Amino acid sequence: QVQLVESGGGLVQAGGSLRLSCAASGIIRSIAAMDWYRQAPGKQREFVASITSGGNTNYADSVKGRFTISRDDANNMMYLEMNSLKPEDTAVYYCRMNLRRTYLGTWYDYWGQGTQVTVSS
């Protein structure tokens, strides 16, 4: 069984910073893309940032220049450094990893349970 667990969320004032972590555990052969998504109250889940196995990154326009995604493949970890936070960044943040558990296994998406980020004005 593969499990993803996010951590690092909390309450911060506007202009502040937080660093989210996502840890994958279980039997994992390799991980392809890793992503962060977020869902604000009353809104649909939206894409925040992604990073490929080759280190290529992509960001939503709303977070470009403020958020930085990174990964540590040796430890099956992913991070999201969030700076210059705004009240509109308030949401539950979810991590997702596309991975396979065996050498020729099927690639599946796994999601974490989410971590709350609240930015006060």
Side-chain angles (χ1 to χ4, degrees), residues 38-54:
R38 66 187 181 186
Q39 187 166 17
K43 295 187 177 181
Q44 289 189 331
R45 191 172 297 189
E46 65 175 4
F47 168 79
V48 175
S50 66
I51 184 166
T52 68
S53 57

Side-chain angles (χ1 to χ4, degrees), residues 31-32 51-57 71 73:
I31 304 175
I51 184 166
T52 68
S53 57
N56 294 317
T57 58
R71 59 191 285 167
D73 287 296

Side-chain angles (χ1 to χ4, degrees), residues 10-117:
L11 174 64
V12 64
Q13 287 189 331
S17 299
L18 284 174
R19 187 188 194 219
L20 304 183
S21 300
C22 176
S25 61
I27 299 174
I28 297 170
R29 172 64 184 180
S30 54
I31 304 175
M34 298 181 179
D35 316 286
W36 286 98
Y37 283 75
R38 66 187 181 186
Q39 187 166 17
K43 295 187 177 181
Q44 289 189 331
R45 191 172 297 189
E46 65 175 4
F47 168 79
V48 175
S50 66
I51 184 166
T52 68
S53 57
N56 294 317
T57 58
N58 189 33
Y59 297 91
D61 288 342
S62 59
V63 307
K64 275 181 184 176
R66 300 188 297 122
F67 291 10
T68 302
I69 188 172
S70 60
R71 59 191 285 167
D72 175 1
D73 287 296
N75 294 295
N76 295 331
M77 295 286 295
M78 173 174 61
Y79 304 96
L80 186 68
E81 187 74 35
M82 304 186 296
N83 298 314
S84 302
L85 282 162
K86 305 174 181 180
E88 51 263 44
D89 294 318
T90 295
V92 177
Y93 283 70
Y94 299 90
C95 64
R96 183 181 76 169
M97 294 187 185
N98 182 246
L99 60 88
R100 59 182 177 181
R101 303 183 64 193
T102 60
Y103 180 68
L104 295 177
T106 302
W107 294 90
Y108 288 105
D109 284 340
Y110 291 85
W111 290 84
Q113 293 298 307
T115 184
Q116 176 70 46
V117 171

